[in-house]
């Protein structure tokens, strides 16, 4: 992994030594370069806030949609199927545009760009979360429910203390994937003017006319972010597994 | 003057159960008095597990009635919950909660459904862990224990709900041979303490020693029901005779 990153850096930066490249645009050692670099990095704030708010909401919505999918009642199961199929078939970009331009006139809500982005991302992701939770819960042995019933636990307590703690350990790698996916998809919200990483880069390109250098920085920004988040998820996985081993 | 009525602990009347086309129970009736120890045996697929799983509502029966400790079993309302808090069950595969310590496995039921405080539940759990002779394992996780120890934890978990009736569904079938006796010892201790027990098992030595009533099932029906002395020495039916020969040979 480290070798790959180094290789990438060399390939990206070496040509910059020639006259055709203009790294001055983001060079922290000159004044305007430092200002530009800080401007680009400030996009992290909304990228992180947007992604983490969205995934928080989508995990909760996903769980609430997954549970009816496991019910014996066919109506509840159909609700789950329809929700998942409908939401899953709309592209995220289309959903963002629709929520931002379509939802306010229909509902009378006054949506900020941030909340429109959160709703669109959370909605889109919740369908995937629902499928992940459903698979995770279904993978738990039937005997766990029977043992819970035999000590007189009700449905809520069975889910809360027995089934979900085991299911979440199993689906943690999938949840980690969704988090990474969400961090990347948040770049699409730039289209409605959200001041996150991608939008900042676009704006700087328009004023500085240096797309190659600026978008290279953008790539590195996402790369750094996602490598850190992935490492965090793996650490959490290991810790929870260690818990189980005692 | 009304006569004092001694209520049956369990009364099963004309119960039917089918899985798709397969008739698992056909017109089964059985009554168990308080303190009675019943051992059910029979070939696989004879309906013995289905029968005891109907008693605490893990399977729903289609016709007939099941009354447990005076409560008629229904799959709606609070009857099921009430019955389950009076009936403990020990499973073939133990079904311990793998993400919880032994102590938490045992106290989860009492804390959540009987509303005991954690301290009360812990004290109670330790009492029962001592009774199954593994108090030193309280803070370990199930996967760190042997099969026999896990099954004893499962028994302690049932006991900690202070049930009136205990159901055993082939409790020793998944165990290595050298661990069977440690589980049977605990079960014999329970039987001697006067617990009402229904055991599905093929451990005939155990059955002979503790059972008040032997039940033999075949193809969803109770074929033979007798005290152990009569059951083992002079069974009425050919089917039962040949089954006993098969399992006692080895």
């Amino acid at each position: 992994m480290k070798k790959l990153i180094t290789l990438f850096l060399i390939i990206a930066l070496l040509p910059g030594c020639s006259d055709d490249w203009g790294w001055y645009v983001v060079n922290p050692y000159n004044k305007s370069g430092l200002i530009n670099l800080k401007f680009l990095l400030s996009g992290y704030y909304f990228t992180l806030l947007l992604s983490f708010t969205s995934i928080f909401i989508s995990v909760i919505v996903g769980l609430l949609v997954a549970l009816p999918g496991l019910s014996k009642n066919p109506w509840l199961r159909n609700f789950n199927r329809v929700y998942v199929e409908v939401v899953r078939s709309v592209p995220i970009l289309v959903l963002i545009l629709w929520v931002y331009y379509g939802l306010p006139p229909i509902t009378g809500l006054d949506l900020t760009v941030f909340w429109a982005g959160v709703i669109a991302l959370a909605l889109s992701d919740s369908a995937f979360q629902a499928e992940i939770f459903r698979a995770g819960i279904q993978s738990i042995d039937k005997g766990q429910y029977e043992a819970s019933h035999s000590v007189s636990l009700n449905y809520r307590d069975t889910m809360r203390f027995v089934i979900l703690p085991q299911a979440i350990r199993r689906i943690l790698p999938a949840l980690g994937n969704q988090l990474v996916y969400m961090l990347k998809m948040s770049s699409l919200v730039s289209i409605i003017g959200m001041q996150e990483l991608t939008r900042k880069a676009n704006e700087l390109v328009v004023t500085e006319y240096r797309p190659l250098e600026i978008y290279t920085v953008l790539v590195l920004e996402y790369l750094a972010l996602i490598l850190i988040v992935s490492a965090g998820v793996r650490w959490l996985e290991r810790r929870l597994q260690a818990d189980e081993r005692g | 003057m009304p006569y004092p009525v001694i209520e049956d602990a369990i009364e099963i009347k004309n119960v039917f159960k089918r899985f798709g086309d397969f008739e698992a129970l056909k017109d089964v009736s059985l009554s168990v008095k308080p303190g009675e120890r019943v051992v059910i045996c029979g070939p696989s697929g004879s309906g013995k597990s289905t029968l005891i799983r109907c008693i605490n509502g893990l399977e729903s029966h289609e016709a007939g009635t099941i009354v447990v400790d005076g409560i008629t079993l229904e799959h709606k309302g609070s009857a099921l919950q009430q019955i389950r808090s009076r009936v403990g069950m020990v499973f073939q595969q133990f079904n311990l909660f793998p993400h919880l310590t032994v102590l938490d496995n045992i106290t989860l039921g009492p804390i959540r459904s009987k509303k005991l405080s954690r301290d009360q539940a812990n004290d109670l759990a330790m009492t029962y862990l001592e009774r199954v002779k593994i108090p030193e394992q309280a803070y370990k996780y199930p996967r760190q224990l042997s099969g026999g120890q896990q099954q004893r934890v499962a028994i302690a978990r049932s006991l900690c709900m202070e049930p009136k009736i205990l159901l055993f569904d082939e409790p020793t079938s998944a165990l290595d041979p050298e661990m069977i006796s440690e589980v049977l010892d605990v079960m014999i201790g329970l039987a001697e303490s006067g617990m009402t027990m229904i055991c599905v098992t093929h451990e005939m030595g155990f059955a002979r020693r503790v059972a008040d009533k032997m039940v033999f099932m075949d193809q969803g029906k109770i074929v033979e029901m007798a005290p152990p002395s009569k059951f083992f020495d002079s069974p009425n039916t050919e089917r039962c005779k040949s089954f006993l020969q098969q399992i006692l040979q080895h």
Side-chain angles (χ1 to χ4, degrees):
Chain A
M1 197 65 192
K2 271 182 194 157
K3 277 182 193 162
L4 260 175
I5 298 169
T6 321
L7 194 69
F8 179 85
L9 283 175
I10 291 169
I11 292 169
L13 301 179
L14 265 185
C17 302
S18 82
D19 290 346
D20 301 340
W21 284 57
W23 284 111
Y24 66 87
V25 89
V26 286
N27 183 352
Y29 294 108
N30 73 46
K31 204 178 160 206
S32 68
L34 185 63
I35 291 170
N36 286 345
L37 198 60
K38 277 184 177 168
F39 178 75
L40 288 175
L41 289 172
S42 68
Y44 269 128
Y45 177 71
F46 273 120
T47 289
L48 288 172
L49 194 62
L50 192 67
S51 306
F52 280 96
T53 313
S54 305
I55 200 145
F56 178 72
I57 295 172
S58 81
V59 164
I60 294 169
V61 175
L63 179 59
L64 292 178
V65 173
L67 291 177
L70 298 159
S71 155
K72 283 186 188 128
N73 182 327
W75 286 101
L76 289 175
R77 276 208 313 274
N78 283 339
F79 161 76
N80 168 279
R81 287 324 305 160
V82 170
Y83 183 94
V84 170
E85 293 301 335
V86 168
V87 173
R88 211 162 49 171
S89 28
V90 184
I92 298 188
L93 186 56
V94 176
L95 205 57
I96 291 169
L97 292 172
W98 186 80
V99 168
Y100 187 58
Y101 293 106
L103 210 54
I106 295 173
T107 59
L109 280 174
D110 192 15
L111 277 183
T112 61
V113 170
F114 176 76
W115 284 106
V118 165
I119 291 173
L121 288 181
L123 197 61
S124 161
D125 195 51
S126 66
F128 295 93
Q129 297 288 1
E131 288 295 90
I132 291 170
F133 268 111
R134 193 168 62 93
I137 294 170
Q138 273 173 340
S139 77
I140 304 296
D141 181 55
K142 188 163 71 74
Q144 294 290 306
Y145 291 91
E146 294 182 348
S148 308
H149 294 329
S150 81
V151 291
S152 201
L153 294 185
N154 59 25
Y155 174 78
R156 237 188 91 217
D157 286 345
T158 303
M159 279 295 162
R160 182 171 155 204
F161 295 104
V162 179
I163 306 300
L164 286 178
Q166 295 182 61
I168 285 170
R169 278 178 176 79
R170 288 193 193 175
I171 65 180
L172 209 63
L175 290 182
N177 276 344
Q178 285 306 115
L179 178 58
V180 166
Y181 185 71
M182 189 72 101
L183 285 165
K184 294 196 285 187
M185 288 306 134
S186 68
S187 63
L188 292 173
V189 186
S190 65
I191 195 126
I192 53 172
M194 183 82 252
Q195 295 284 324
E196 42 66 74
L197 289 172
T198 307
R199 178 75 181 197
K200 297 265 181 187
N202 277 336
E203 288 183 357
L204 197 63
V205 166
V206 173
T207 55
E208 295 283 354
Y209 305 111
R210 279 286 167 192
L212 188 55
E213 294 78 5
I214 292 168
Y215 286 139
T216 304
V217 173
L218 182 61
V219 167
L220 294 175
E221 281 177 316
Y222 278 110
L223 191 66
L225 172 61
I226 281 161
L227 289 178
I228 292 169
V229 168
S230 300
V233 171
R234 271 201 303 279
W235 173 81
L236 192 64
E237 264 171 52
R238 269 200 305 275
R239 229 195 70 166
L240 282 176
Q241 277 165 4
D243 263 10
E244 210 166 314
R245 276 189 227 106
Chain B
M1 270 285 281
Y3 290 102
V5 182
I6 298 174
E7 216 169 56
D8 285 337
I10 300 172
E11 194 173 10
I12 300 168
K13 262 192 192 157
N14 310 109
V15 162
F16 287 80
K17 168 75 187 172
R18 55 165 62 242
F19 297 104
D21 287 338
F22 178 69
E23 280 190 283
L25 297 176
K26 299 174 212 164
D27 198 13
V28 172
S29 298
L30 174 70
S31 65
V32 181
K33 291 187 192 65
E36 201 171 20
R37 277 94 63 174
V38 178
V39 169
I40 306 177
C41 59
S44 61
S46 61
K48 48 198 194 312
S49 283
T50 309
L51 179 63
I52 69 166
R53 288 162 58 85
C54 279
I55 294 170
N56 69 346
L58 290 182
E59 304 287 354
S60 55
H61 54 288
E62 272 128 33
T65 53
I66 297 177
V67 180
V68 180
D69 198 34
I71 306 163
T72 306
L73 179 65
E74 279 177 343
H75 282 265
K76 55 185 179 208
S78 60
L80 193 56
Q81 209 72 13
Q82 283 180 33
I83 287 177
R84 281 174 177 167
S85 69
R86 289 168 165 77
V87 180
M89 186 156 193
V90 176
F91 300 88
Q92 184 177 354
Q93 300 295 343
F94 329 139
N95 293 346
L96 294 178
F97 307 130
H99 60 298
L100 298 178
T101 62
V102 165
L103 195 63
D104 289 339
N105 260 279
I106 299 174
T107 55
L108 182 61
I111 289 174
R112 297 307 303 179
S113 64
K114 295 205 146 178
K115 311 290 175 207
L116 294 192
S117 73
R118 180 162 288 282
D119 286 343
Q120 283 174 312
N122 282 350
D123 287 348
L124 201 58
M126 289 313 296
T127 320
Y128 288 114
L129 274 176
E130 266 155 40
R131 191 145 164 202
V132 299
K133 303 184 188 77
I134 38 173
E136 72 283 0
Q137 312 287 358
Y139 297 98
K140 288 192 181 164
Y141 283 84
R143 68 175 62 179
Q144 297 168 293
L145 306 185
S146 72
Q149 290 171 328
Q150 289 191 42
Q151 191 60 297
R152 285 188 280 159
V153 172
I155 293 173
R157 177 173 69 179
S158 301
L159 289 174
C160 204
M161 290 294 289
E162 314 213 286
K164 294 191 170 175
I165 301 155
L166 261 186
L167 308 174
F168 291 85
D169 189 0
E170 307 205 27
T172 56
S173 302
L175 294 176
D176 292 337
E178 71 266 31
M179 292 168 181
I180 290 176
S181 69
E182 64 186 54
V183 172
L184 289 181
D185 282 346
V186 168
M187 290 171 65
I188 290 168
L190 280 174
E192 282 164 357
S193 74
M195 173 69 78
T196 310
M197 292 163 67
I198 302 185
C199 312
V200 172
T201 181
H202 292 150
E203 296 297 332
M204 289 303 140
F206 165 80
R208 214 188 264 271
R209 179 155 170 197
V210 307
D212 297 310
K213 191 195 279 178
M214 291 296 302
V215 173
F216 175 74
M217 290 184 74
D218 189 29
Q219 296 181 351
K221 286 183 182 146
I222 292 181
V223 177
E224 184 124 7
M225 183 150 47
S229 54
K230 172 151 194 327
F231 183 85
F232 288 108
D233 300 335
S234 53
N236 284 329
T237 57
E238 274 308 309
R239 187 70 191 84
C240 187
K241 219 176 274 179
S242 68
F243 176 80
L244 284 176
Q245 265 168 9
Q246 293 269 331
I247 60 168
L248 292 176
Q249 245 169 22
H250 302 287

